[in-house]
Amino acid sequence: MRFAPSPTGPLHIGGVRTALYNFLFARHYGGTFILRIEDTDQARLVEGAEEYIMDALAWAGMKVDEGVREGGPFAPYRQSDRYEIYHRYADELIAKGDAYYAFDSPEELDKLRHDYESRGETFNYGCATRMNMCNSLTLAPEEVTGRLASGEHFVVRYRMPDNEDIHFTDLIRGEIVVNSPTLDDKVLYKSDGMPTYHLANIVDDHLMEITHVIRGEEWLPSLPLHVMLYRSFGWDAPLFAHLPLLLKPTGKGKLSKRDGDKMGFPVFPLYWPYGETASGYREEGYFPEAFVNMLALLGWNPGTEQEIFSMDELIEAFSIDRVGKSGSRFDPDKAKWFNTRYFHMKSDDELVALFMPVVNEKGFNPAPETLKRIISMVKERAGFVKDLWHEADFFFVAPENYDQEVVRKRWNGDSPRQMRELLDVVAGAEPFTSENLEKTVKEWIAGSPYNTGTILNLFRLLMVGASRGPHLFDIVELTGRDETLRRLETGINRLTASAS
Ligand code: GLU
């Protein structure tokens, strides 16, 4: 199996899915997963894209067996390092009569296209027109030799059969028949020594002993040409599976690179810092396992209700015949759902290891045991490691302001006095544990004219700044006596001042 991206920009999640299905298929059958960089279209190369592709696969846990970084028996794995190989295959097709030299200039071709268009027709360089063009089928042999010898620019075109039904099979779509006159004579090779995608792709798949090609649906129109090329060379073609498109969350149209940040979710696995910058799943805090699980189910279904799959389970369960024929709608909420599921599958110790750097970054260095307690209290409300900070910030930082709605509802003329009394109670509570604090505070309330709800809500407001957070007395214990007293004091002063 191979994944054969062109480094023309960051890989979008559709590309990662293609890579994933190749990877799962290869692992399922004990095959090899090759990463081949198809960079024959030098004009479209984008700096950083090749590295990005490799990093994205590594992040997603798809270990490449053979590739540019890994090497392997069919090296090199970058097409621009293989240019001398393609030349002789172009020559072979010409010798067989299945390809020919064409000397028509780009200007002449443009003019023809334009003339056809103005008549409402489309120009097709193929069986209907090739005998009127400037090529080795129409020129005398010595003229062709002369032009080649003088270094004139040429292209090599594949000679499609004049009238033949080309039959081929796609593992997802079944039997397909295309009548050859509807296809044009595609360019395979250019006089600057560059093969086009079609020639390089077929030659390399053959030389690299690829048995199955899984790729995006956009390549299906190229399949008849590819099948013909295999036939011309006398090679066995691999089996092909063309994956249906990923659709926008609305279900209308193909998910495009531009949709992501516009629609509020990443379309790239990793942040892309070049050119038009764009967010990535990694930087948004997705676990690679969750990302891969989500992608695997966008187009493939296991035939059961199971939704959570580890990579090993995916490898075990994956099969091409369970890949659907129709496009799969990408659902950003489902992506979050997957991450939340994986988040909750992590142990508290794992979460400590993931969350500690975030807390350190904020300037705090709690004992791992303390952080573990905090995490165990707030994790129910989180689906991402980064959510933990939002759920737990008040364990580290005193409120800077107070939720105005809560203040309006709960803070009144009696509050300062109530909170001062509470402050004295908390100051004297011994031991300073959640349980004992709760008991002491509640006993004091019971012996006072105050309402439990009122006191506890105000207490929380001064500790947290809002009405959120886990069990109040756990917060108080972990915050510690000094800081708790400080927050009560500050809160009373600030709210009294702002109320007067
Ligand atoms: N280089 C092509 C791409 O960028 C590969 C198509 C194929 O897998 O044959 O998608």
Side-chain angles (χ1 to χ4, degrees):
M1 306 295 299
R2 87 311 194 264
F3 177 51
S6 299
T8 53
L11 209 54
H12 110 325
I13 51 178
V16 184
R17 183 189 61 162
T18 302
L20 178 64
Y21 286 10
N22 277 287
F23 174 81
L24 296 176
F25 190 93
R27 288 286 180 273
H28 183 93
Y29 290 103
T32 308
F33 178 57
I34 296 179
L35 174 65
R36 184 174 71 229
I37 300 294
E38 300 210 325
D39 57 348
T40 52
D41 191 351
Q42 293 279 321
R44 293 181 57 226
L45 289 195
V46 171
E47 182 76 25
E50 185 178 304
E51 288 287 307
Y52 180 97
I53 291 166
M54 297 180 195
D55 293 346
L57 297 187
W59 175 70
M62 289 179 238
K63 196 188 158 305
V64 171
D65 299 315
E66 296 173 22
V68 174
R69 275 183 191 164
E70 298 72 16
F74 305 115
Y77 290 90
R78 188 190 286 116
Q79 289 186 327
S80 58
D81 296 332
R82 302 170 61 80
Y83 280 155
E84 69 280 6
I85 298 178
Y86 308 113
H87 166 82
R88 61 173 181 275
Y89 290 99
D91 286 352
E92 183 180 328
L93 290 178
I94 293 169
K96 284 182 167 154
D98 286 350
Y100 57 92
Y101 294 106
F103 300 98
D104 321 85
S105 70
E107 296 74 33
E108 285 162 349
L109 291 173
D110 273 350
K111 186 174 176 311
L112 269 170
R113 276 189 205 107
H114 191 256
D115 292 349
Y116 271 64
E117 255 169 47
S118 60
R119 297 201 300 269
E121 294 169 21
T122 311
F123 173 71
N124 201 349
Y125 203 125
C127 62
T129 54
R130 68 168 82 99
M131 296 316 283
N132 305 324
M133 306 296 293
C134 183
N135 55 45
S136 56
L137 305 173
T138 56
L139 300 171
E142 47 289 2
E143 164 92 32
V144 173
T145 326
R147 286 185 183 230
L148 293 176
S150 72
E152 188 172 322
H153 285 291
F154 66 85
V155 297
V156 174
R157 287 182 181 271
Y158 186 71
R159 183 178 182 163
M160 269 292 162
D162 287 353
N163 187 13
E164 187 188 320
D165 285 336
I166 306 172
H167 293 258
F168 50 92
T169 308
D170 178 79
L171 293 175
I172 296 171
R173 276 147 224 280
E175 291 293 319
I176 305 175
V177 185
V178 174
N179 189 230
S180 62
T182 61
L183 303 166
D184 54 351
D185 289 353
K186 281 270 183 292
V187 174
L188 299 179
Y189 192 81
K190 291 176 254 167
S191 52
D192 57 8
M194 303 278 227
T196 60
Y197 154 73
H198 301 291
L199 180 68
N201 184 273
I202 266 53
V203 166
D204 286 345
D205 279 352
H206 171 71
L207 296 178
M208 294 180 180
E209 299 174 10
I210 302 301
T211 55
H212 293 77
V213 169
I214 302 178
R215 62 186 175 189
E217 184 174 82
E218 66 274 26
W219 299 104
L220 193 59
S222 301
L223 188 53
L225 168 65
H226 295 181
V227 169
M228 289 306 295
L229 282 168
Y230 281 103
R231 194 168 89 182
S232 294
F233 284 120
W235 299 334
D236 286 336
L239 299 175
F240 290 95
H242 288 82
L243 301 177
L245 297 174
L246 287 189
L247 306 175
K248 293 184 201 298
T250 54
K252 287 195 195 82
K254 174 176 180 245
L255 181 70
S256 88
K257 290 192 176 181
R258 282 170 303 280
D259 288 333
D261 290 335
K262 208 170 63 195
M263 296 178 127
F265 58 86
V267 281
F268 298 117
L270 317 178
Y271 174 65
W272 173 253
Y274 311 101
E276 240 177 88
T277 57
S279 64
Y281 280 84
R282 180 177 64 184
E283 291 71 18
E284 291 294 306
Y286 282 81
F287 297 119
E289 310 90 286
F291 173 72
V292 160
N293 193 157
M294 177 271 296
L295 270 188
L297 291 171
L298 272 178
W300 168 78
N301 77 81
T304 64
E305 293 297 303
Q306 185 178 349
E307 285 194 281
I308 300 299
F309 287 85
S310 67
M311 188 67 107
D312 284 344
E313 288 170 327
L314 287 172
I315 290 168
E316 172 78 30
F318 186 78
S319 70
I320 289 281
D321 53 6
R322 301 210 69 94
V323 175
K325 284 193 182 56
S326 50
S328 308
R329 190 175 66 83
F330 175 71
D331 178 358
D333 292 334
K334 192 76 190 190
K336 288 193 187 136
W337 179 88
F338 272 107
N339 206 73
T340 304
R341 291 291 302 268
Y342 275 81
F343 178 88
H344 288 295
M345 276 150 53
K346 301 261 181 223
S347 69
D348 287 352
D349 284 322
E350 285 174 293
L351 291 175
V352 168
L354 293 164
F355 188 41
M356 188 62 95
V358 178
V359 177
N360 292 159
E361 174 94 351
K362 301 275 182 190
F364 303 97
N365 195 11
E369 276 312 304
T370 310
L371 196 58
K372 191 165 161 181
R373 268 193 72 191
I374 294 176
I375 289 172
S376 70
M377 287 178 212
V378 303
K379 71 174 183 186
E380 273 323 304
R381 286 190 261 299
F384 288 78
V385 172
K386 65 179 177 182
D387 293 349
L388 287 172
W389 177 255
H390 176 70
E391 297 299 335
D393 54 353
F394 45 80
F395 284 105
F396 304 95
V397 263
E400 297 218 334
N401 37 49
Y402 303 89
D403 184 329
Q404 282 309 303
E405 209 168 305
V406 184
V407 173
R408 216 172 307 125
K409 203 159 126 205
R410 311 237 176 239
W411 190 265
N412 58 36
D414 297 332
S415 308
R417 185 169 31 90
Q418 294 166 344
M419 289 297 101
R420 289 235 169 263
E421 285 181 37
L422 171 71
L423 193 151
D424 290 340
V425 173
V426 171
E430 199 61 60
F432 202 81
T433 59
S434 175
E435 213 177 308
N436 187 51
L437 281 159
E438 178 161 6
K439 189 165 147 279
T440 312
V441 170
K442 285 190 174 163
E443 275 172 12
W444 159 67
I445 299 175
S448 77
Y450 310 142
N451 168 285
T452 311
T454 308
I455 299 297
L456 297 188
N457 279 310
L458 286 173
F459 194 5
R460 181 180 291 278
L461 178 68
L462 299 194
M463 291 303 290
V464 174
S467 58
R468 66 194 171 95
H471 185 57
L472 173 63
F473 293 98
D474 287 344
I475 302 178
V476 177
E477 180 193 326
L478 276 174
T479 306
R481 193 189 312 265
D482 291 352
E483 174 64 13
T484 299
L485 298 181
R486 217 176 352 255
R487 288 191 192 184
L488 286 172
E489 186 70 49
T490 316
I492 297 166
N493 292 339
R494 284 205 206 150
L495 290 176
T496 309
S498 66
S500 58

